[in-house]
Amino acid sequence: KLSQLEYLDVSYNELTGELPAAIYTLTKLENVYLSGNELSGNVFNGISSLSNLLNFWLDDNQFTGNINESSKLLTKLTTLMLQYNYFSGTVPNEVCKQMENLDEFWADCNSTLTYTKYNYLECDCCTKCSVPLG
């Protein structure tokens, strides 16, 4: 039964379109790997229902939007990979404070590079700012 799913890895499967809203009903998810697809939309809408997440890999897609306050409910998160997407804005300090277990937080936050196609996040709690490929 999918409602008991704890591990989801669909990385590098050439998936396109927005993330289905049904993923937010899988409240037991601990590990989600969506890397290397062409997924789009604002993945942080509805994220608060996934409060058991430990690893959340969204890198190398086409996700957009801001990291909103509901992300602060992801208190168990240890790894968050956001690089090579189109996120923008500022990661709220409240979100950083609540994610105290976060060991790795990668994002496109190196705003000194101007030749990249990616947007940037203002991020005080990122552990690694990626160097966009162009």
Side-chain angles (χ1 to χ4, degrees):
K1 195 171 178 186
L2 284 181
S3 64
Q4 301 301 311
L5 191 66
E6 295 177 1
Y7 187 97
L8 175 65
D9 187 349
V10 292
S11 298
Y12 304 99
N13 277 289
E14 300 179 14
L15 299 176
T16 60
E18 293 196 10
L19 197 60
I23 197 167
Y24 301 114
T25 65
L26 304 174
T27 57
K28 298 216 185 268
L29 276 175
E30 294 178 356
N31 301 285
V32 175
Y33 301 96
L34 304 174
S35 305
N37 288 294
E38 293 182 27
L39 296 168
S40 60
N42 188 341
V43 72
F44 289 101
N45 291 340
I47 197 74
S48 61
S49 64
L50 300 179
S51 59
N52 288 311
L53 277 180
L54 299 172
N55 297 293
F56 199 26
W57 292 58
L58 305 175
D59 55 295
D60 199 15
N61 278 287
Q62 297 174 11
F63 291 118
T64 58
N66 298 323
I67 298 177
N68 57 37
E69 287 289 326
S70 64
S71 302
K72 71 182 179 185
L73 301 174
L74 304 177
T75 57
K76 297 179 182 179
L77 206 59
T78 60
T79 305
L80 179 59
M81 298 296 194
L82 301 181
Q83 70 273 25
Y84 309 126
N85 280 289
Y86 299 94
F87 296 115
S88 59
T90 301
V91 178
N93 285 332
E94 188 61 31
V95 171
C96 291
K97 289 177 189 174
Q98 294 297 320
M99 293 184 184
E100 60 188 33
N101 294 320
L102 202 57
D103 293 325
E104 286 190 88
F105 184 176
W106 289 35
D108 298 320
C109 52
N110 189 347
S111 61
T112 61
L113 299 175
T114 57
Y115 59 85
T116 179
K117 64 182 180 179
Y118 301 103
N119 293 344
Y120 296 105
L121 287 174
E122 294 293 327
C123 182
D124 290 337
C125 57
C126 287
T127 58
K128 172 95 171 139
C129 289
S130 60
V131 178
L133 302 174

